[in-house]
Amino acid sequence: MHRPRLFPHSLRLKLVLSYLGVTLGAIVFLALAVGFAVQNYYADVQTRMLQGWATGYKNNLIYPVYRIEGTLDIRQIEGLFRADPIPVLLVLKSTEAPAPQLCTVPAGLDTNNCNNPQIQAALQKATQTQQDVKGSLNVDDQNGAGAIATRYLATPLIYNGKMIGVMFLLATPVKDPSSGFLSKDPSSGFLSEVNYTILLAGILMSCIVVAFSFILARRFTKPIEQLTDAAEHMKSGKYTQRVPEPASQDELGILALTFNEMADTIEADVNELHRHEQSRRELIANIAHDLATPLTAIQGFSEALADDVIVDPQQRLETVQRIGREVQRLRRLVADVQHMTSLEAGRIHMDFAPLDMHELVDETLVVIATECENKGITVSNEIDPTAPTVMADSDRVTQVLLNLLDNARRHTPEGGKLTVGAQPDGRFLRIWVSDTGVGIDTQDLPYIFERFYRADRSRTTATGGSGLGLAIVKAIITAHGGRIWAQSTPGQGTTITFTLPLAQQNSQSPANASKELTKTS
């Protein structure tokens, strides 16, 4: 069942809005930057224009008159300025005679600007510092348009190292082409055109960004939606769900690959849990079945004795003996189950020590030699006496050999052969027990080391043991840090191979080795 989503496209919407926000922010920043650049450009142009006018007035009007007259004659200079109208507001002040001043106002500006306190302050500062004073000033328009911002320049008049006066120039504001009136900012006309163009371009760019952002957002969010759907399916128990293989190896692609790998691991773990659960059920069923057979026999024999159904003393004795054998079979079955459980839980103490496998196999073969001779089976120890020793528990390894040799003997016909061999294999000694018996069917071979598994379905505990022998063998070998496997050809024989660690490769003490190796069970 899928979880309801209140905002199924919230991430996509956030991405679209973020793209749009970045675009609009870039447009606003561009407009501000262009406006700032235009204003600085106009201010620089006006300042350089004023410096050009000031140089022309000094060299062409003021200094020639001063050279002839010997003094700064404001009235004579004013006549020259009247004959040549100037495009700026000009204030001329002599240091010899502070008054009167020459103030020429171009058309469009109020004549009261000559008495502007800022103009008088700029003249005073240029006189004191004998350096150019630049800045921005608000002047009045004669048409009542209000204060108009424009640039000014106050420059001292220095002739042959002597300061003879000071001149103030104020740039005349230009008219705005869109309105025909004086602009409060000389750059505002051009700037308004630029801002209008940026606005149109911003609207068009925003539309394009929205369209592309939807496409890109869908590309980014689709893998996430697929991952979410797959996670929802897995939450409901569908562990086979996977996401499509990504076309790119970016972060989302790596996330999809990681999710699929995680799903594979979870599916494998779940299947393993199901397999263990099935094994547990089969174990309980097998134990119940193997317990039921001897218990049924014991019950029947006991009732026959109790009801005096068997009156002959000899038959009664045989019946009691049968009951005893069934009880022993039950005890062996219970002991095998306890032994198996202890091995798998790592509760069996292992007494690890260097062990000579050639010598141990000789001792083991003596135990089963009589039974093999009675059946006409030949046994041989083909382990090289100089084979390296292994680090193992001799009692447990003897149990492994006896179990494997007994199984081989029971499935080898008269005249057959049992062979035990060994060969070093890296850090381990590889040991095998082979026979020339009937072999194991291919479909049974992978399961022979499972608990209660019997390749011969007709065998029972009375004829084929408890079904735990090979499982116990595997648990013992695993506790030693080795592994075990089987190879068989029906009609030709079977070979069981297991490995044990070499003694010289193990630098741990037997006690520490026991603790570590038993953990692997």
Side-chain angles (χ1 to χ4, degrees), residues 9-32:
H9 303 294
S10 58
L11 180 58
R12 187 176 301 174
L13 180 60
K14 290 178 181 178
L15 287 173
V16 171
L17 293 178
S18 64
Y19 292 146
L20 184 59
V22 170
T23 303
L24 294 178
I27 293 172
V28 171
F29 177 79
L30 178 62
L32 294 176

Side-chain angles (χ1 to χ4, degrees), residues 432-434 439-440 445 448-449 485-489 493-497:
W432 63 85
V433 176
S434 62
I440 304 173
L445 195 61
I448 62 173
F449 294 104
W485 66 94
Q487 295 172 310
S488 181
T489 302
T494 301
T495 299
I496 305 293
T497 306

